[in-house]
Amino acid sequence: MPNSVADPVPAGPVRVAEPVTTRSLVKSFGDTDVLRGVDLAIPAGSIVSLLGPSGCGKTTLLRSIAGLERPDSGEIAIGPRTVSGNGTFVAPERRRVGMVFQDWALFPHLSVERNVAFGLSRKERRTKSVVVADTLEMVGLSHLAHRMPSELSGGQQQRVALARALAIRPAVILLDEPYSNLDTTLRTQIRLEVQRLLTDLGITTLFVTHDQEEAFVMGEHVAVMFDGVVVQQGRPSMIYDTPGTPRVARFIGDANFLAGTADGDKAETQIGPIPLLRRLDGEVEVMVRPEYITVVAGEDATIEKVEFYGHDSIYLVQPDGQPALKARVLSTPEFRVGQRVALSYGGGAAPAYPV
């Protein structure tokens, strides 16, 4: 019997996807401001990863969209309909939003089939067998319909939670760090299966995570959130290569910041001239990802550390009289600790920030 998400995806209980928009959303708990004017746009049928550190307001934003929290001010719209704001507050069960919680929240005393059917309306429960069967087929769990949650693996429990969210024919799916309870190997497998399923179904999806790799794999778009505010949103490659601020750059991956002097479209740095994404003049910090630093034999710097990951290697390099830099190579390390090397820049136009 299948043990992964079904392929191809059959016709099943899914509504037409709707875009989701939040405008100037504010939410406080006592004296703590959790959401501080959140603007977020999720295009219809797309997957957006909401990426941010713990405590930045991601889950509160998710719960506000679902209707589980009432914002203090601001607006939430699902499609053309305002569901929160301007004197309106639509109850969670009337928003057609499916939610997968971090701990999956399965009912231990109910079978897989009854867990999936739990969110259906009375009218829908009359045709429960058809709706539930279609949904379990989608997630590849038809053969486990009568099992109890305690009889399932972690990956199977996660898929039951997803099936329950899908069974209500949602216009929008919200996932709150749903893979955090899985081991690394299973986590990688399940997230790819779920990403493929949601893409094939065309459901508008907001996926919350604090893991940069996971955000980039899952999301067609990534929204970065700090301190209750979405500070940047765009495609993963854009967020990675052109972060709006140094804080964003550091959060989403390894980043070197090189002191430089800008003169229009380039800056002179310790590893030579670097072309800039925008024209600047004067003192700047140029952001360079480790993979754009080239390491060759020379006498300008010393290898301080070598980290070998199999698929790539990281050098920690100490230039003479300058701060240490990281360089990434897609190969077995050529240099050893203590060897002398030279550095140069091997990328395209780089972002820079005035000092």
Side-chain angles (χ1 to χ4, degrees):
M1 301 299 292
N3 195 36
S4 61
V5 173
D7 184 21
V9 176
V14 179
R15 288 171 69 94
V16 174
E18 299 275 18
V20 177
T21 306
T22 73
R23 301 182 186 91
S24 304
L25 210 62
V26 172
K27 176 65 179 177
S28 298
F29 295 98
D31 294 332
T32 303
D33 297 329
V34 179
L35 303 180
R36 301 188 300 112
V38 175
D39 295 316
L40 177 68
I42 310 173
S46 69
I47 300 176
V48 171
S49 294
L50 183 61
L51 174 66
S54 298
C56 73
K58 302 186 302 295
T59 295
T60 300
L61 176 58
L62 206 74
R63 290 174 60 85
S64 297
I65 294 171
L68 302 177
E69 299 287 354
R70 187 187 290 261
D72 300 329
S73 62
E75 297 180 20
I76 302 171
I78 299 177
R81 182 174 63 147
T82 297
V83 296
S84 181
N86 295 324
T88 298
F89 186 80
V90 176
E93 63 272 17
R94 296 181 56 206
R95 296 190 183 195
R96 285 296 185 182
V97 172
M99 188 159 180
V100 179
F101 296 93
Q102 186 170 355
D103 61 359
W104 308 324
L106 300 181
F107 298 103
H109 63 292
L110 299 181
S111 67
V112 166
E113 182 180 56
R114 293 178 66 192
N115 262 285
V116 173
F118 185 82
L120 300 178
S121 67
R122 289 183 181 178
K123 180 178 179 181
E124 290 167 328
R125 284 175 184 167
R126 298 193 192 103
T127 58
K128 177 187 74 172
S129 59
V130 175
V131 173
V132 173
D134 282 350
T135 309
L136 288 175
E137 177 67 21
M138 280 186 186
V139 299
L141 293 180
S142 298
H143 60 301
L144 300 178
H146 303 294
R147 294 270 186 95
M148 304 300 286
S150 60
E151 299 173 314
L152 303 178
S153 68
Q156 290 167 341
Q157 290 182 39
Q158 195 275 340
R159 290 203 292 269
V160 174
L162 178 62
R164 183 174 59 190
L166 290 170
I168 65 170
R169 302 191 303 278
V172 179
I173 286 278
L174 309 175
L175 299 100
D176 189 8
E177 305 208 37
Y179 313 128
S180 59
N181 293 328
L182 302 176
D183 63 58
T184 301
T185 301
L186 184 58
R187 181 174 180 153
T188 300
Q189 174 190 341
I190 292 294
R191 75 186 181 197
L192 288 173
E193 292 177 350
V194 170
Q195 194 267 353
R196 183 184 64 177
L197 175 65
L198 294 174
T199 298
D200 288 347
L201 293 175
I203 301 178
T204 305
T205 302
L206 182 61
F207 171 79
V208 163
T209 182
H210 62 269
D211 184 290
Q212 172 257 328
E213 178 181 305
E214 199 162 78
F216 283 14
V217 170
M218 285 290 297
E220 300 168 60
H221 301 266
V222 174
V224 181
M225 189 173 189
F226 292 142
D227 305 321
V229 178
V230 172
V231 296
Q232 189 172 359
Q233 181 175 351
R235 293 197 174 276
S237 58
M238 185 271 284
I239 298 287
Y240 184 78
D241 286 330
T242 60
T245 66
R247 186 180 181 187
V248 172
R250 290 185 177 96
F251 183 71
I252 62 171
D254 288 333
N256 298 296
F257 287 88
L258 281 66
T261 302
D263 182 13
D265 58 2
K266 72 177 189 323
E268 290 295 334
T269 73
Q270 66 194 69
I271 62 172
I274 296 178
L276 301 180
L277 282 170
R278 61 189 178 103
R279 295 182 64 85
L280 290 169
D281 290 292
E283 300 305 304
V284 295
E285 281 191 325
V286 183
M287 194 282 290
V288 175
R289 297 294 183 192
E291 56 269 30
Y292 299 141
I293 291 183
T294 302
V295 182
V296 297
E299 292 296 332
D300 301 325
T302 303
I303 301 291
E304 294 286 331
K305 186 178 181 182
V306 180
E307 299 174 353
F308 177 59
Y309 295 100
H311 47 70
D312 65 2
S313 304
I314 296 286
Y315 293 122
L316 181 65
V317 189
Q318 181 65 65
D320 297 340
Q322 299 286 343
L325 301 174
K326 285 186 174 181
R328 177 180 287 115
V329 293
L330 299 177
S331 62
T332 300
E334 177 183 353
F335 301 103
R336 301 185 304 277
V337 171
Q339 280 191 276
R340 298 286 287 168
V341 295
L343 305 177
S344 62
Y345 180 69
Y353 311 95
V355 176

